[in-house]
């Protein structure tokens, strides 16, 4: 059973960088054929895909967020991290990490973390 769990500060000040870590158990982030994603859901809105990292270390971002997004990993800890810079209150959302077996966000995810609330406020 694959498990993912998000961690990081729940409150971030405007203009700062949001940093969240996803810890994976029951599966390796270096295994082929999986996509390790960050997804968010602002209050009252739908899910928004942020980006993913794959086994090779290649990353891919949503065009709307790529200028501010950075996904990295620590393979020794089986973790991958999202950094979102220059945040504003519009970045307030529940942030999820999730695994997919494909590179199409419309096809969904097979495993999700529980999600973590991040509020951008001074």
């Amino acid at each position: 059973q694959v498990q993912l769990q998000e961690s990081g500060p729940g409150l971030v000040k405007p203009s700062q960088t949001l940093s969240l870590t996803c810890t994976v158990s029951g599966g390796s982030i270096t295994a082929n054929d999986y996509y390790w994603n960050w997804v968010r859901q602002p209050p009252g809105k739908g899910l928004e895909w942020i980006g993913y990292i794959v086994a090779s270390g290649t990353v891919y971002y949503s065009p709307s967020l790529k200028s501010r997004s950075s996904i990295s990993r620590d393979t020794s800890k089986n973790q991958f991290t999202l950094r979102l810079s220059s945040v504003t209150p519009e970045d307030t959302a529940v942030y999820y990490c999730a695994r997919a077996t494909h590179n199409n966000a419309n096809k969904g995810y097979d495993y999700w973390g529980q999600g973590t609330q991040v509020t951008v406020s001074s």
Side-chain angles (χ1 to χ4, degrees):
Q1 184 76 18
V2 176
Q3 297 183 77
L4 298 83
Q5 184 164 5
E6 306 88 350
S7 61
L11 181 64
V12 184
K13 292 181 171 62
S15 82
Q16 293 187 338
T17 296
L18 179 159
S19 183
L20 297 172
T21 295
C22 183
T23 300
V24 179
S25 61
S28 174
I29 63 172
T30 63
N32 290 331
D33 301 322
Y34 296 113
Y35 300 78
W36 303 94
N37 296 263
W38 285 101
V39 183
R40 70 181 184 181
Q41 186 169 30
K45 299 182 180 180
L47 292 169
E48 180 182 21
W49 176 72
I50 301 169
Y52 64 65
I53 188 166
V54 298
S56 66
T58 298
V59 296
Y60 191 72
Y61 305 109
S62 168
S64 64
L65 294 169
K66 63 181 179 181
S67 67
R68 299 193 291 130
S69 299
S70 179
I71 298 174
S72 59
R73 65 183 182 174
D74 184 339
T75 59
S76 69
K77 297 180 179 179
N78 212 34
Q79 296 176 330
F80 62 104
T81 296
L82 170 68
R83 291 175 59 84
L84 184 67
S85 66
S86 303
V87 298
T88 74
E90 291 186 344
D91 294 309
T92 294
V94 177
Y95 285 75
Y96 300 90
C97 52
R99 192 185 80 169
T101 59
H102 49 75
N103 65 351
N104 188 338
N106 292 327
K107 294 183 178 180
Y109 309 91
D110 56 0
Y111 290 97
W112 294 75
Q114 65 181 351
T116 186
Q117 173 70 47
V118 178
T119 299
V120 179
S121 176
S122 61

